[in-house]
Amino acid sequence: MKTKAQGFTLVEVMVALIIAALLLPALVMSFANQADGIGYLRDKSVAQWVAANELTRLRMDWQVTQLIFQGQREGQSSMAGRDWYWWVSSSETDVEDFYRIDVRVALTETENEQPLYTLTGFLSAPSEPLLSLPEDSPEEPGELSPDEQRDGG
């Protein structure tokens, strides 16, 4: 009695190879696009941190000097092992003593017009200078001096 041979025919193998040949490049391209997307999101996140740092620096300068930055300036920062280029511009708004601050961040100096990330913040200049603590006040806010503790506050 003759038994039937088991296995794939040449036609079945050829069809499977054709399907694999068509799908494999599509899968490789999909993985490459995902890798590019992850790199872009990483760069955009770091650019956001650089912009936030520059805006915070302006706010700290304002707290110390009580002067609002006006005009434009540019610079370079290093973060996450790369150099980042930033441009800061300040402009008045329709509200008196209220300023708009735009921080643009890019990977190269030539990307000023097409930055990777742009952060907008606002600063207000008080009409009167901020009050400072009196000389004899406690060093820590909320901390009572020994005399105040004895007297009950």
Side-chain angles (χ1 to χ4, degrees):
M1 185 160 135
K2 202 172 186 186
T3 62
K4 189 174 179 183
Q6 294 193 353
F8 295 104
T9 65
L10 182 59
V11 173
E12 292 171 330
V13 170
M14 293 301 287
V15 168
L17 285 175
I18 289 171
I19 291 172
L22 292 174
L23 291 180
L24 193 58
L27 285 174
V28 169
M29 289 300 293
S30 174
F31 289 137
N33 287 340
Q34 278 188 323
D36 287 345
I38 290 169
Y40 172 76
L41 290 176
R42 180 198 62 235
D43 289 347
K44 192 157 184 150
S45 294
V46 175
Q48 179 181 2
W49 297 337
V50 171
N53 285 349
E54 291 308 314
L55 185 58
T56 301
R57 183 173 294 135
L58 286 176
R59 286 181 172 155
M60 289 172 54
D61 288 347
W62 172 80
Q63 288 289 328
V64 171
T65 64
Q66 294 295 300
L67 298 173
I68 298 270
F69 166 74
Q70 294 182 358
Q72 296 184 354
R73 74 175 179 197
E74 60 186 61
Q76 178 181 352
S77 297
S78 292
M79 186 177 282
R82 297 176 88 169
D83 290 332
W84 299 87
Y85 298 90
W86 50 264
W87 299 267
V88 177
S89 60
S90 173
S91 57
E92 293 183 17
T93 63
D94 292 338
V95 179
E96 186 178 345
D97 294 328
F98 200 68
Y99 296 86
R100 176 185 172 135
I101 310 291
D102 291 310
V103 182
R104 297 179 314 280
V105 179
L107 284 168
T108 65
E109 287 182 273
T110 59
E111 294 177 346
N112 182 9
E113 297 302 319
Q114 296 258 332
L116 186 59
Y117 187 78
T118 301
L119 177 66
T120 300
F122 295 90
L123 288 175
S124 63
S127 55
E128 298 177 15
L130 294 176
L131 298 175
S132 60
L133 293 174
E135 294 295 325
D136 61 345
S137 68
E139 291 179 6
E140 295 290 325
E143 182 180 314
L144 299 176
S145 69
D147 292 332
E148 291 174 321
Q149 289 176 355
R150 258 182 289 148
D151 297 338

